[in-house]
Amino acid sequence: RDRLKRAIDDNTELRKKEKDDLIFSTLEQWPSDIRSKREGDPNGARPCLTIDQINQYIVQVVNDIRQNRPSVKVRPVDDNADIKTAEVFQGLIRHIEDQSVAQIAYMTAAESAVRVGEGYFRFITEYENDESFNQVIKIRRCQDMFSVYLGPHMMPDGSDAEWGFIFEDYPEEVFRRMYPDAKYHQTDFDELEDFRSYWNTEKKIRVAEYFYFDYQDSDLHYTEDGKTVLDDAYIKQEDKSAISKTRKTRKRTVKWCKLTGIEILDERDWAGKYIPIVKVTGKESFVDGKLVLWGLVRPAKDTLRMYNYVAS
């Protein structure tokens, strides 16, 4: 609850600007109060023309990205790697991208970054089919970037974030159908108190996927045969090499759960080292300790509004 509240509060001002940029790029370029005055003029409605001068540049940048498609490249980098092994990994990753139609995820995130300054795509695991226990990795787009929040991070792709949310707001009748055993009465959400507006309204219930790190303190041993092993794994070994040195470390695992703010609907370990949400960044800068993001639209808005006014 604290983390989602913090994420939303810290990004409220930025997301408001990004939403305004998105609306502007979809040709709603007149401020509502000015449009109302012009269209409701007692002397007769005055035109509010919108001359689209921005989407051609957005399309140009996005098409350049399409011509130079983003993809994963595997390279051997140390003595224990070889070119053939890298080629095997490259083939596996290419298969995942092909099966996921990953270019849709990449381009959705890229176009969002071009328009408003940031976009997202994600990794998931799912069963191969309804009659299988085998799981496959898929790359999926985050169509609504405003439903994604990452914890504090410095890297432009968000790879150093320690937690992240992806949420969706469901009407109560849809939520009851999807989660028949979950709490849904409005009185159930009274325990949220000051957090209620972040999770529940009278008409909708927010269901969030929450990724986070869990840390466990441990000892790391370096054995005489040149291997490193954690203490719990070393204890289980039958043939133990002598320990030459030991240091304290923290074992990090990724956790996933789905929750509503008042209860956990599902949870499990995530088989990976990072929060599986990838951020795609446009232009960025830090101003007074706050991150500012923007795309092509924001610097052009005043000029294009003046153009529309003169044309009208």
Side-chain angles (χ1 to χ4, degrees):
R1 294 174 186 174
D2 286 331
R3 284 178 167 177
L4 183 63
K5 180 179 183 299
R6 176 185 176 186
I8 293 177
D9 289 349
D10 289 350
N11 289 276
T12 295
E13 183 179 346
L14 176 61
R15 290 288 172 97
K16 183 178 179 181
K17 292 179 179 179
E18 291 173 337
K19 187 175 183 180
D20 190 63
D21 294 343
L22 181 61
I23 292 172
F24 190 93
S25 71
T26 55
L27 305 185
E28 290 291 334
Q29 298 182 0
W30 286 82
S32 56
D33 54 339
I34 295 179
R35 179 183 287 275
S36 298
K37 288 180 181 179
R38 291 178 65 85
E39 293 180 344
D41 194 319
N43 298 320
R46 289 181 287 167
C48 295
L49 302 179
T50 299
I51 314 298
D52 185 13
Q53 296 280 345
I54 188 63
N55 278 291
Q56 58 182 317
Y57 299 107
I58 293 174
V59 170
Q60 181 179 346
V61 175
V62 172
N63 284 343
D64 286 343
I65 299 173
R66 284 197 174 100
Q67 290 178 357
N68 300 276
R69 292 186 174 186
S71 62
V72 178
K73 178 66 175 177
V74 180
R75 295 185 178 91
V77 296
D78 59 28
D79 295 337
N80 296 321
D82 60 71
I83 295 176
K84 290 185 178 180
T85 303
E87 290 175 349
V88 171
F89 278 109
Q90 184 72 65
L92 290 170
I93 293 170
R94 187 180 296 113
H95 176 73
I96 292 170
E97 290 182 316
D98 290 344
Q99 293 298 309
S100 306
V101 196
Q103 289 302 319
I104 294 177
Y106 298 157
M107 295 312 304
T108 299
E111 183 169 346
S112 179
V114 172
R115 288 182 185 273
V116 304
E118 64 177 311
Y120 297 89
F121 64 92
R122 62 178 303 192
F123 295 92
I124 66 169
T125 58
E126 60 184 25
Y127 291 108
E128 283 184 319
N129 55 61
D130 295 337
E131 298 179 357
S132 174
F133 284 96
N134 296 326
Q135 294 192 56
V136 293
I137 300 171
K138 292 294 180 76
I139 302 169
R140 291 285 184 254
R141 70 172 180 167
C142 297
Q143 187 172 13
D144 181 11
M145 60 141 286
F146 296 100
S147 67
V148 182
Y149 286 92
L150 282 175
H153 57 277
M154 296 298 295
M155 297 297 292
D157 61 355
S159 57
D160 56 334
E162 295 199 351
W163 47 267
F165 291 92
I166 301 176
F167 60 74
E168 187 170 354
D169 296 330
Y170 292 100
E172 185 176 300
E173 63 273 14
V174 176
F175 177 81
R176 290 171 62 182
R177 184 176 69 250
M178 295 181 64
Y179 305 101
D181 298 326
K183 298 178 182 178
Y184 62 88
H185 292 292
Q186 291 299 317
T187 53
D188 294 329
F189 290 88
D190 290 342
E191 68 175 79
L192 288 171
E193 298 179 345
D194 294 340
F195 295 100
R196 181 160 188 160
S197 62
Y198 298 89
W199 289 96
N200 171 253
T201 65
E202 293 183 359
K203 297 181 179 180
K204 292 188 176 183
I205 297 173
R206 175 163 293 170
V207 177
E209 289 184 73
Y210 172 40
F211 296 92
Y212 63 97
F213 289 144
D214 181 61
Y215 294 95
Q216 182 179 359
D217 293 330
S218 181
D219 291 327
L220 181 67
H221 304 303
Y222 184 79
T223 60
E224 290 184 348
D225 58 359
K227 296 180 180 179
T228 55
V229 59
L230 291 172
D231 187 61
D232 53 352
Y234 182 79
I235 293 173
K236 297 177 182 178
Q237 288 181 355
E238 294 182 0
D239 298 328
K240 297 182 175 66
S241 299
I243 297 173
S244 59
K245 54 185 175 181
T246 299
R247 71 175 180 88
K248 296 290 184 181
T249 187
R250 301 184 75 190
K251 183 180 178 182
R252 188 178 77 180
T253 56
V254 183
K255 303 288 186 178
W256 171 90
C257 64
K258 183 174 284 189
L259 66 161
T260 63
I262 56 174
E263 64 178 332
I264 294 174
L265 304 174
D266 192 10
E267 61 181 331
R268 62 175 179 266
D269 291 339
W270 173 260
K273 296 194 300 181
Y274 305 98
I275 303 300
I277 304 170
V278 183
K279 182 178 181 179
V280 179
T281 302
K283 299 291 291 183
E284 68 172 353
S285 184
F286 277 88
V287 181
D288 294 331
K290 289 187 176 181
L291 177 65
V292 180
L293 299 170
W294 69 95
L296 284 180
V297 177
R298 198 173 308 164
K301 286 162 70 174
D302 289 341
T303 303
L304 297 182
R305 285 196 177 110
M306 182 173 65
Y307 190 95
N308 290 336
Y309 182 79
V310 172
S312 299

